[in-house]
Amino acid sequence: MVTKSKELFETAKRYIPGGVNSPVRAFGSVGRTPRFISSSHGSRIVDVDGNELIDYVCSWGPGILGHAPGRVIEKVQRACERGLTFGAPTENEVVLAELIAELVPSIEVSRLVSSGTEAVMSAVRAARGYTRRDKIIKFKGCYHGHSDGLLVKAGSGALTTSVPDSAGVPVDYTRHTLTALYNDKSSVEKLFRENPDQIAAVIVEPVAANMGVVLPEAGFLEFLREITKNNGALLIFDEVITGFRLALGGAQEYFHVTPDLTTLGKIAGGGMPIGVYGGKREIMEMVSPEGPVYQAGTLSGNPIATTAGIETLQILKEDPDIYKRLSEKAEKIEKAVKAAAGESVCVNRIGSLLSVFFTSERVSDYESALSSDTAGYADCFSYLLDHGIYTAPSQFEAMFVSDAHTEEDIAYTCRVLGDYYTSVGSYGRV
Ligand code: KE4
């Protein structure tokens, strides 16, 4: 029963674009009424009609510990009593910057902002300021937030300059954004050949998770590290999702590839609004007030968000075995899907991050991700939702497993997935 969600959604659509404050939440590609959530705890979220759901969205990544982890809540409650925001430097910001530098050694110097979008936008500006070059390379299918210059898709041939992916973005704003193909070295080499000494940086999701989860092929990240170094360009790892998710040191620890700049978000704030950009001291010295690259933010590093971020990272630091536990849980889901669906779907998983693509193709880039049967995905999404399991309402997002998912949660999820694929045949279509 979703009466109250339906009522709220109708009212919401009168006052908020599409009834939501972020498009994917509207359930547009799965054709269901979005669930309005009233509370959460552990692996569960509870909607306004009282339906309890096992949550594999985890707020799109921040919820690695599960919802409302006790230690974080308690510290945040105490911090609130001391004030919500000062607009002045605080000890927390020093503690968090030191902790980030300890856990991700390539981030010698960092700046806190309030979202992943802000982090990426600022990192790109720092890269351009440092190299005095204008062009950047991004990859088709990778998402880096909604700043104008990064809302692009490739022009014809996928290797030309980009055209805006959104209304309201002047073509001029994307003139310096070049688009390559994920896992396609030659597409990157071509852009460097065609734009000698003009490319400030390559920005990449070290594991793509915004076209669904697509892993870097062996050597791809090492190649990006090499070609940027050889061409005087910077390598930016957008670790807003993979940061503290794949390992305590993120994807750069997992793959042993060190970028020049890194962006973080989600887990870094423990569920509160935090973005981070940072890297080599000589680059970050360019950032105001130390250098000429301007960037600012009213609530950057605010005491409540930094309290949640510090406590979350401390808990992860104290319990590095969490990554093994998370991976083992996600592997059980991967195996259950493969056992029931066979070759009719493609499961991409790394650690606690996974996607089930409704295609029999191996999904290794945006084109192959697009071969997925999104109606099949929507059918499975609905089945899971009706069985109390909440997954991403889009084929092109990721499934997240948290430390709060119990063995019973995982076993139940595997059983429901098995029943689904067994009962509805391949592709998950009825
Ligand atoms: P935010 O501005 O949403 O905090 O972060 C933007 C961003 C940057 N980089 C990467 C790799 C990201 O995945 C994101 C945001 N991720 C999406 C989920 N795929 C956020 C969910 C949403 O848009 O509602």
Side-chain angles (χ1 to χ4, degrees):
M1 190 243 321
V2 289
T3 314
K4 189 123 177 54
S5 278
K6 277 199 164 77
E7 287 165 4
L8 281 171
F9 193 39
E10 288 317 307
T11 307
K13 282 190 277 193
R14 294 212 321 262
Y15 301 101
I16 307 168
V20 292
N21 282 307
S22 201
V24 70
R25 302 178 191 172
F27 278 23
S29 59
V30 292
R32 295 289 296 264
T33 300
R35 296 296 177 86
F36 281 63
I37 304 305
S38 64
S39 69
S40 64
H41 56 92
S43 63
R44 307 301 172 97
I45 52 177
V46 184
D47 71 21
V48 291
D49 291 290
N51 302 302
E52 184 171 291
L53 304 163
I54 302 174
D55 177 24
Y56 289 103
V57 174
C58 299
S59 183
W60 304 101
I64 192 168
L65 301 175
H67 287 285
R71 272 177 56 179
V72 178
I73 295 297
E74 192 209 325
K75 287 286 179 69
V76 165
Q77 284 171 330
R78 295 233 296 274
C80 288
E81 289 155 14
R82 296 195 295 272
L84 301 179
T85 179
F86 312 130
T90 62
E91 183 178 1
N92 264 10
E93 291 159 271
V94 180
V95 170
L96 185 51
E98 277 182 315
L99 191 50
I100 288 169
E102 179 195 345
L103 301 182
V104 192
S106 73
I107 305 181
E108 297 171 335
V109 176
S110 62
R111 169 61 62 81
L112 297 179
V113 291
S114 298
S115 72
T117 294
E118 247 193 296
V120 169
M121 179 174 74
S122 310
V124 166
R125 189 180 305 141
R128 284 171 163 154
Y130 177 76
T131 61
R132 298 173 187 278
R133 296 177 177 181
D134 293 338
K135 292 181 178 174
I136 57 162
I137 293 175
K138 76 172 287 288
F139 293 89
K140 210 174 164 190
C142 284
Y143 175 69
H144 303 289
H146 63 88
S147 58
D148 283 344
L150 286 159
L151 278 181
V152 300
K153 57 187 167 200
S156 60
L159 295 184
T160 59
T161 52
S162 301
V163 293
D165 213 6
S166 163
V169 177
V171 174
D172 236 13
Y173 282 34
T174 60
R175 203 156 44 87
H176 298 302
T177 309
L178 310 176
T179 307
L181 304 179
Y182 199 78
N183 279 327
D184 179 334
K185 294 178 184 176
S186 62
S187 70
V188 182
E189 286 162 343
K190 188 166 191 290
L191 290 176
F192 271 101
R193 258 197 325 275
E194 291 172 347
N195 302 274
D197 304 326
Q198 299 168 56
I199 294 169
V202 171
I203 184 166
V204 67
E205 290 180 63
V207 172
N210 286 286
M211 46 177 133
V213 175
V214 175
L215 277 60
E217 311 239 302
F220 183 62
L221 298 179
E222 293 79 354
F223 158 77
L224 293 180
R225 177 62 288 175
E226 203 56 33
I227 196 166
T228 44
K229 203 170 283 182
N230 295 343
N231 286 277
L234 301 183
L235 178 59
I236 304 174
F237 270 10
D238 180 350
E239 295 222 42
V240 167
I241 283 187
T242 56
F244 312 115
R245 166 68 57 181
L246 295 192
L248 202 46
Q252 55 198 271
E253 175 188 304
Y254 190 97
F255 291 104
H256 308 293
V257 175
T258 304
D260 300 298
L261 289 174
T262 301
T263 54
L264 299 166
K266 298 182 192 274
I267 295 173
M272 297 300 288
I274 277 194
V276 187
Y277 71 102
K280 285 181 180 160
R281 181 176 306 282
E282 63 189 88
I283 302 169
M284 292 303 289
E285 283 170 349
M286 298 295 291
V287 178
S288 171
E290 199 166 347
V293 175
Y294 192 71
Q295 180 269 310
T298 303
L299 296 176
S300 296
N302 80 75
I304 311 308
T306 50
T307 296
I310 290 165
E311 198 60 27
T312 300
L313 297 186
Q314 286 290 12
I315 292 169
L316 292 172
K317 183 183 164 189
E318 289 162 16
D319 179 14
D321 285 349
I322 185 173
Y323 294 101
K324 183 168 171 292
R325 296 199 299 271
L326 288 171
S327 189
E328 285 167 355
K329 291 178 188 176
E331 187 183 21
K332 286 178 180 166
I333 294 174
E334 173 189 10
K335 285 182 171 170
V337 172
K338 286 180 172 174
E343 301 302 314
S344 69
V345 297
C346 166
V347 185
N348 284 351
R349 179 183 73 83
I350 180 167
S352 59
L353 206 50
L354 68 157
S355 286
V356 179
F357 291 94
F358 279 64
T359 178
S360 50
E361 276 189 49
R362 188 174 77 84
V363 177
S364 60
D365 59 17
Y366 190 49
E367 300 316 315
S368 45
L370 287 182
S371 75
S372 304
D373 172 3
T374 51
Y377 179 88
D379 188 58
C380 183
F381 170 86
S382 260
Y383 185 90
L384 294 174
L385 186 63
D386 294 339
H387 286 78
I389 297 169
Y390 189 77
T391 55
S394 161
Q395 168 71 86
F396 305 112
E397 296 289 353
M399 190 171 180
F400 298 88
V401 178
S402 83
D403 201 36
H405 284 96
T406 63
E407 290 309 319
E408 293 71 29
D409 289 334
I410 300 296
Y412 172 72
T413 304
C414 291
R415 200 164 52 250
V416 172
L417 282 165
D419 292 348
Y420 175 76
Y421 288 109
T422 310
S423 62
V424 293
S426 68
Y427 286 108
R429 297 306 299 275
V430 178

